[in-house]
């Protein structure tokens, strides 16, 4: 089989080639799993990650991403206040070295602003060498484009040093667009989808947009602005959450009240499906499998899975009904589409039941079953385990954030934490 790869330099050509090979390999995983005939290995906690700078109202763990190879973790800390600027935000990179998770870098915006919320959303390329960090800046009314939100691309060099390589602001130019509220990257890092959940809101609801950027000649350039095909007065904040397929040719967009699937044909993106349930919170979290054929959507107290076949998207199946409390559910799906992770946000659930949990599910014989209930090493009423969740390619590494950890014992000072789980040998 011959494979021609176009790119502007050797780095890009290698990235594209590896991405294509990974797509082929992941597509075979379901066949191997089906042949195995049993569930995947159990997960156990191997590390607790905390802000190395010490306690503070950092909201560390508000967002989380783990690379496909399970060797790099990115944790958003949108409440951090470097330079004394409240909630300017930060993001932290961890790397697995000889089995131990080591803090590698603290990423900061070049022009921090109070209430900038840098770290509200994070994403990694497949190899973990490219990081995308959103800073929605919704409350940072400073009269500059950066205050409408921004998204920052950081790249890791061969020495393990991270460098800011590009900053994007809302193409709409609105000062309250909340650009960066949701971010996603394709496996190669060449396609980025960035949500601006308040874009167009001064003109009235429904509002919000997602902007798709593509890497061309070593810079990310706007490809298309995505918005619902038909305005719906019961749907708002389009772009609150975003996820992409491995190849970056399918994008799943979360809103308040719905989720939307967009597909790319040639250079044009079109809406393929609108997914809904009878809840205005449906769509607050979304996750898409590597093939782009399985979608998870979270809402208050529930999560739903949708699959696509030759006839389109099905009507959705609720996962583990009655086991997710009454608050927002974070969702993640492994690249192979056969493992899922659900986390229940903390504000009401954890203090009442004395423990936050994340639920890990496996797809077996075309049915999703609860495989494992995960708890943190410091489980109890004063943590928020499950705010953000992420899985590696085959679900053998899980990253679970708890941004409101320690809030209840020390009101106003939410240290936050994140937890790494790995498959038991």
């Amino acid at each position: 089989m011959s494979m021609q790869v176009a790119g502007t330099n050797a780095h890009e050509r290698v990235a594209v080639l590896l991405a294509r090979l990974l797509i082929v390999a992941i597509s075979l995983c379901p066949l191997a799993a089906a042949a195995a005939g049993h569930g995947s290995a159990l997960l156990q906690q191997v590390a607790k990650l905390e802000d190395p700078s010490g306690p503070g109202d950092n909201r560390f763990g508000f967002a989380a991403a783990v690379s496909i190879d399970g060797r790099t973790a990115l944790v958003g800390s949108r409440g951090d206040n470097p330079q004394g600027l409240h909630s300017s935000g930060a993001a932290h990179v961890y790397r697995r070295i000889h089995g131990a998770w080591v803090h590698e870098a603290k990423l900061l915006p070049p022009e921090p602003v109070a209430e900038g919320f840098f770290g509200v959303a994070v994403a990694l390329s497949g190899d973990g060498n490219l990081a995308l960090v959103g800073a929605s800046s919704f409350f940072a009314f400073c009269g500059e484009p950066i205050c409408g939100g921004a998204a920052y691309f950081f790249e890791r060099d061969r020495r393990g040093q991270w460098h800011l390589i590009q900053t994007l602001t809302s193409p709409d130019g609105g000062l309250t667009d909340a650009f960066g509220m949701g971010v996603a990257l394709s496996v190669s890092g060449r396609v980025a989808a960035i949500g601006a959940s308040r874009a167009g809101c001064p003109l009235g609801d429904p509002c919000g947009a997602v902007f798709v950027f593509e890497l061309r000649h070593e810079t990310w350039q706007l490809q298309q602005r995505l918005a619902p095909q038909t305005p719906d007065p019961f749907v708002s904040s389009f772009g609150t959450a975003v996820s992409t397929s491995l190849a970056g040719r399918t994008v799943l967009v979360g809103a308040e009240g719905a989720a939307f699937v967009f597909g790319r044909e040639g250079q044009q993106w079109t809406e393929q499906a609108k997914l809904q349930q009878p809840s205005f919170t449906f769509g607050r979290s979304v996750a898409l499998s590597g093939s782009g054929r399985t979608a998870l959507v979270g809402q208050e107290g529930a999560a739903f899975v949708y699959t696509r076949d030759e006839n389109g998207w099905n009507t959705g199946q609720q996962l583990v009904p009655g086991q997710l409390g009454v608050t927002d559910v974070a969702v993640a799906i492994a690249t192979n589409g056969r493992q899922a992770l659900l986390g229940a946000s903390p504000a009401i659930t954890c203090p009442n039941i004395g423990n936050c949990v994340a639920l890990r599910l496996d797809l077996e014989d075309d049915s999703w079953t609860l495989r494992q209930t995960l708890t943190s090493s410091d489980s109890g009423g004063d943590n928020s385990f499950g705010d953000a969740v992420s899985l590696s390619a085959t679900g053998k590494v899980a990253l679970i954030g708890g941004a409101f950890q320690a809030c209840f014992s020390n009101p106003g000072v939410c240290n936050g934490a994140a937890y790494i789980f790995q498959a038991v040998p």
Side-chain angles (χ1 to χ4, degrees):
M1 178 180 65
S2 63
M3 194 177 291
Q4 296 181 344
V5 181
T8 60
N9 57 41
H11 176 77
E12 290 184 13
R13 288 194 294 271
V14 170
V16 175
L17 179 59
L18 290 176
R20 291 181 179 177
L21 291 174
L22 186 56
I23 291 169
V24 173
I26 292 299
S27 69
L28 298 177
C29 286
L31 299 177
H38 56 77
S40 52
L42 296 177
L43 302 179
Q44 66 180 9
Q45 184 181 327
V46 297
K48 178 183 178 181
L49 311 179
E50 295 181 285
D51 191 331
S53 59
D57 193 17
N58 299 326
R59 312 295 168 94
F60 181 94
F62 190 87
V66 64
S67 60
I68 281 178
D69 63 8
R71 296 182 178 275
T72 303
L74 180 61
V75 181
S77 182
R78 62 102 165 151
D80 204 344
N81 56 353
Q83 303 180 30
L85 297 169
H86 185 263
S87 291
S88 171
H92 297 264
V93 182
Y94 292 81
R95 196 171 189 177
R96 185 169 54 159
I97 301 175
H98 302 303
W101 286 89
V102 179
H103 185 265
E104 185 172 64
K106 181 176 183 177
L107 308 180
L108 295 170
E111 301 174 3
V113 295
E115 316 301 335
F117 296 153
F118 178 93
V120 71
V122 297
L124 284 170
S125 60
D127 60 8
N129 288 328
L130 181 70
L132 177 58
V133 182
S136 58
S137 303
F138 178 55
F139 297 109
F141 300 107
C142 61
E144 301 292 337
I146 204 76
C147 294
Y152 302 84
F153 291 90
F154 294 84
E155 188 174 43
R156 178 168 54 194
D157 63 25
R158 293 180 180 179
R159 297 173 299 169
Q161 302 296 311
W162 286 85
H163 308 276
L164 176 66
I165 56 175
Q166 191 171 345
T167 300
L168 298 174
T169 56
S170 175
D172 280 9
L175 297 183
T176 59
D177 283 357
F179 181 82
M181 179 64 78
V183 298
L185 281 172
S186 65
V187 64
S188 67
R190 295 176 59 85
V191 178
I194 303 173
S197 60
R198 298 290 296 172
C201 287
L203 302 178
D205 282 328
C207 57
V210 167
F211 300 90
V212 179
F213 295 84
E214 188 172 22
L215 184 63
R216 299 172 184 166
H217 307 295
E218 299 186 358
T219 61
W220 280 269
Q221 301 177 24
L222 179 63
Q223 185 186 32
Q224 190 171 328
R225 183 188 196 271
L226 308 182
Q229 181 176 337
T230 304
D232 184 339
F234 299 103
V235 175
S236 64
S237 300
F238 178 89
T240 293
V242 199
S243 183
T244 70
S245 62
L246 269 180
R249 301 187 67 85
T250 305
V251 171
L252 177 63
V253 180
E256 294 274 352
F260 300 81
V261 182
F262 290 82
R264 177 179 171 178
E265 293 291 340
Q267 295 299 312
Q268 186 69 27
W269 288 87
T270 57
E271 182 182 316
Q272 294 182 338
K274 178 181 180 181
L275 313 176
Q276 278 188 296
Q277 295 292 333
S279 170
F280 72 92
T281 67
F282 179 84
R284 287 183 176 175
S285 62
V286 297
L288 195 62
S289 67
S291 66
R293 303 181 70 85
T294 303
L296 292 184
V297 184
Q299 65 176 51
E300 283 188 359
F304 296 83
V305 61
Y306 296 81
T307 56
R308 181 181 64 183
D309 58 24
E310 62 276 6
N311 298 316
W313 290 85
N314 66 12
T315 56
Q317 171 194 349
Q318 185 174 354
L319 300 175
V320 290
Q323 298 189 46
L324 292 171
V326 295
T327 54
D328 287 347
V329 175
V331 297
I333 188 167
T335 313
N336 64 10
R338 301 193 67 84
Q339 288 81 36
L341 189 61
L342 313 178
S345 297
I348 298 174
T349 306
C350 293
N352 290 343
I353 68 174
N355 191 18
C356 287
V357 300
L359 303 181
R360 184 272 188 90
L361 297 92
D362 282 357
L363 179 62
E364 299 178 0
D365 300 325
D366 297 324
S367 178
W368 286 93
T369 59
L370 178 61
R371 172 69 169 163
Q372 190 177 4
T373 298
L374 305 177
T375 58
S376 65
S377 55
D378 52 1
S379 60
D382 199 14
N383 75 48
S384 61
F385 183 78
D387 281 325
V389 293
S390 182
L391 285 171
S392 64
T394 56
K396 292 184 178 180
V397 178
L399 175 62
I400 302 173
F404 298 91
Q405 193 261 355
C407 282
F408 304 106
S409 61
N410 192 9
V413 182
C414 299
N415 299 331
Y419 305 83
I420 298 281
F421 286 76
Q422 291 176 200
V424 178

